[in-house]
């Protein structure tokens, strides 16, 4: 009897750690007697059937590679005419036993529906640099992207101090402020802006002025999704999310700071630079562990589940519950931000 087949796909924004996770699935699946293949470019490949073989020799050296060897897209089968029947047809024509879908709330939301509505054998693997999936403590991709952003922030401090300027670093993170929060804390920012907390212009000006007086430089880290009073004008993607790249929050904030403090201010948006490059140690280990566990869930017939990090354990949780609600920054973090950025 031929070996059962597992397909893997990676959907949504890429992030470092996807390749270690793919390697983890393939190596454990092979050990358990399965064959693997990769569907290309997320749900797009599940619709059109484009795929590539995956085996030990293809994946054994990818642990250090950023991006995803499978390609990705923001295609949503539920938003394409005939999309869902095409996914079901691909399952049949490729003779798939199970699908391991790696993604954030969007990709995994589709996986949850396909399981619930069509009984598809799916297992979810959470990934996102935004770290905004509520059922897991951390997602791989977050550690690497924040590490890169912290390095960028430290470079801005150097040049900012030389010129006696305030420097604004805009980071990604979509609707959740985790990337901005952790970057700001780790880089010693003087003000941190996150979408969960409205910007208090007077507090911002006071803190920037005080920091600049003490250190001859001030660093402000802001999330791309901070509301600067112009929400609603953006374009939406297939999953209904704002396309944030043209909002220019960092630039607007820099203008506001310069006007309210009289301190010359520059801004930089790190953008996709923080999503590329080799994964950190943390993301390599987490990606590997959740990949291994996903193959074990297939073997156990635990479908409709997502692997999750809880404490230091990798466990299985319900895919439906995992995708029901975003994990945003709770107010408990606000007092930590205030302590670290006090205007004294
Ligand atoms: O969701 C991950 C993410 O990197 C967000 O932080 C960001 O808003 C978005 O993707 C950017 O998407 P794209 O790569 O499609 O421009």
């Amino acid at each position: 009897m031929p070996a059962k087949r597992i397909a893997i796909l990676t959907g949504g924004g890429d992030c470092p750690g996807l390749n270690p996770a793919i390697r983890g699935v393939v190596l454990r699946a092979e050990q358990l007697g399965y064959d693997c293949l990769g569907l290309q470019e997320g749900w797009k490949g599940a619709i059109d059937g484009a795929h590539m073989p995956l085996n030990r020799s293809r994946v054994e050296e990818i642990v250090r590679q950023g991006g995803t060897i499978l390609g990705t897209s923001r295609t949503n089968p539920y938003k394409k005419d005939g999309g869902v029947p095409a996914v079901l047809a691909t399952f049949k024509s490729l003779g798939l036993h199970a699908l391991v879908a790696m993604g954030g709330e969007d990709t995994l939301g589709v996986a949850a529906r396909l399981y619930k509505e069509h009984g598809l054998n799916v297992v979810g693997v959470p990934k996102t640099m935004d770290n905004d999936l509520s059922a897991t403590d951390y997602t791989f991709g977050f550690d690497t992207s924040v590490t890169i952003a912290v390095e960028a922030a430290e470079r801005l401090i150097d040049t900012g101090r030389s010129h006696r300027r305030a420097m604004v670093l805009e980071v990604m993170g979509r609707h959740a402020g985790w990337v901005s929060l952790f970057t700001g804390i780790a880089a010693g920012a003087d003000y941190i802006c996150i979408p969960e907390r409205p910007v208090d212009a007077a507090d911002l000006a006071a803190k920037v002025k005080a920091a600049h007086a003490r250190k001859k430089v001030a660093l402000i880290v802001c999330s791309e999704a901070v509301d600067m009073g112009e929400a609603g004008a953006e374009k939406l993607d297939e999953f209904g999310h704002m396309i944030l790249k043209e909002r220019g929050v960092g630039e607007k904030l820099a203008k506001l700071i310069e006007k309210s403090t009289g301190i010359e201010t520059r801004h930089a948006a790190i953008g996709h630079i923080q999503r590329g490059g080799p994964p950190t140690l943390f993301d390599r280990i987490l990606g590997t562990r959740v990949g291994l566990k996903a193959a074990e869930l297939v073997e156990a017939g635990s479908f409709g589940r997502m692997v999750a990090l809880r404490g230091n354990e990798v466990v299985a949780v319900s895919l439906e519950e995992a995708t029901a609600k975003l994990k945003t920054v709770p107010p408990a973090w606000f007092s930590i931000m205030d302590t670290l950025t006090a205007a004294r």
Side-chain angles (χ1 to χ4, degrees), residues 256-269:
L256 177 74
I257 291 167
E258 197 163 85
K259 206 166 158 209
S260 60
T261 64
I263 298 167
E264 190 178 31
T265 307
R266 295 285 190 269
H267 68 275

Side-chain angles (χ1 to χ4, degrees), residues 12-14 74 127-130 132 172-175 179 224 237 242-245 272 275:
D14 71 339
R74 295 196 187 276
K127 67 87 226 177
T128 165
M129 59 155 285
D130 301 342
D132 58 359
M172 296 212 284
R174 205 178 248 170
H175 310 294
V179 177
E224 63 179 345
D237 69 14
M242 291 183 293
I243 299 171
L244 294 167
K245 65 181 187 301
H272 293 81
R275 229 169 61 186

Side-chain angles (χ1 to χ4, degrees), residues 12-338:
D14 71 339
C15 70
L18 279 167
N19 286 329
I22 292 167
R23 182 182 73 139
V25 176
V26 172
L27 296 187
R28 181 69 98 218
E30 279 195 351
Q31 191 182 43
L32 294 169
Y34 293 86
D35 279 345
C36 290
L37 61 81
L39 293 170
Q40 288 173 344
E41 297 164 28
W43 291 113
K44 183 170 174 296
I47 291 172
D48 63 26
H51 65 282
M52 59 191 264
L54 288 175
N55 51 32
R56 173 171 285 273
S57 66
R58 180 65 190 87
V59 302
E60 64 188 344
E61 287 191 282
I62 64 174
V63 68
R64 64 179 113 105
Q65 270 177 38
T68 160
I69 60 166
L70 302 179
T72 186
S73 70
R74 295 196 187 276
T75 303
N76 181 350
Y78 282 94
K79 288 283 159 65
K80 296 260 177 258
D81 275 351
V84 172
V87 172
L88 303 179
T90 298
F91 233 75
K92 262 206 173 137
S93 64
L94 295 178
L96 301 181
H97 169 63
L99 170 67
V100 175
M102 301 186 179
E105 44 148 350
D106 299 330
T107 304
L108 297 182
V110 170
R113 277 185 78 177
L114 289 171
Y115 171 73
K116 194 173 172 188
E117 295 169 12
H118 299 281
L120 225 55
N121 288 352
V122 291
V123 168
V125 171
K127 67 87 226 177
T128 165
M129 59 155 285
D130 301 342
N131 200 36
D132 58 359
L133 276 168
S134 47
T136 185
D137 291 351
Y138 284 97
T139 45
F140 60 76
F142 176 68
D143 188 72
T144 308
S145 66
V146 174
T147 301
I148 301 300
V150 169
E151 191 194 309
E154 288 170 348
R155 288 170 190 266
L156 291 181
I157 292 172
D158 286 349
T159 175
R161 199 191 313 272
S162 304
H163 290 263
R164 287 26 179 157
R165 286 172 174 158
M167 304 300 288
V168 177
L169 174 64
E170 177 190 312
V171 297
M172 296 212 284
R174 205 178 248 170
H175 310 294
W178 294 108
V179 177
S180 180
L181 177 69
F182 276 42
T183 302
I185 291 176
D190 303 297
Y191 205 86
I192 302 169
C193 302
I194 57 175
E196 293 84 349
R197 191 186 203 189
V199 176
D200 176 338
D203 186 42
L204 169 65
K207 285 177 174 166
V208 169
K209 270 188 179 167
H212 190 266
R214 289 193 310 272
K215 306 185 285 184
K216 300 189 180 357
V217 65
L219 173 71
I220 301 90
V221 176
C222 76
S223 159
E224 63 179 345
V226 165
D227 186 359
M228 297 294 291
E230 287 178 36
E234 291 85 359
K235 284 191 277 178
L236 301 181
D237 69 14
E238 280 191 23
F239 287 92
H241 296 296
M242 291 183 293
I243 299 171
L244 294 167
K245 65 181 187 301
E246 277 150 20
R247 295 186 75 205
V249 167
E251 186 178 0
K252 286 177 190 151
L253 211 52
K255 282 192 181 135
L256 177 74
I257 291 167
E258 197 163 85
K259 206 166 158 209
S260 60
T261 64
I263 298 167
E264 190 178 31
T265 307
R266 295 285 190 269
H267 68 275
I270 187 170
H272 293 81
I273 294 168
Q274 70 178 127
R275 229 169 61 186
T280 54
L281 168 68
F282 182 87
D283 284 340
R284 292 181 198 206
I285 301 298
L286 180 57
T288 301
R289 289 180 74 197
V290 293
L292 294 169
K293 180 77 175 182
E296 289 161 15
L297 292 187
V298 171
E299 168 73 354
S302 286
F303 299 115
R305 313 284 284 169
M306 182 188 90
V307 293
L309 183 70
R310 293 273 174 86
N312 199 26
E313 296 303 313
V314 176
V315 299
V317 298
S318 145
L319 243 185
E320 196 178 358
E321 281 168 30
T323 52
K325 195 169 158 276
L326 268 193
K327 180 178 70 185
T328 51
V329 176
W333 282 94
F334 297 177
S335 73
I336 297 174
M337 288 159 64
D338 291 341

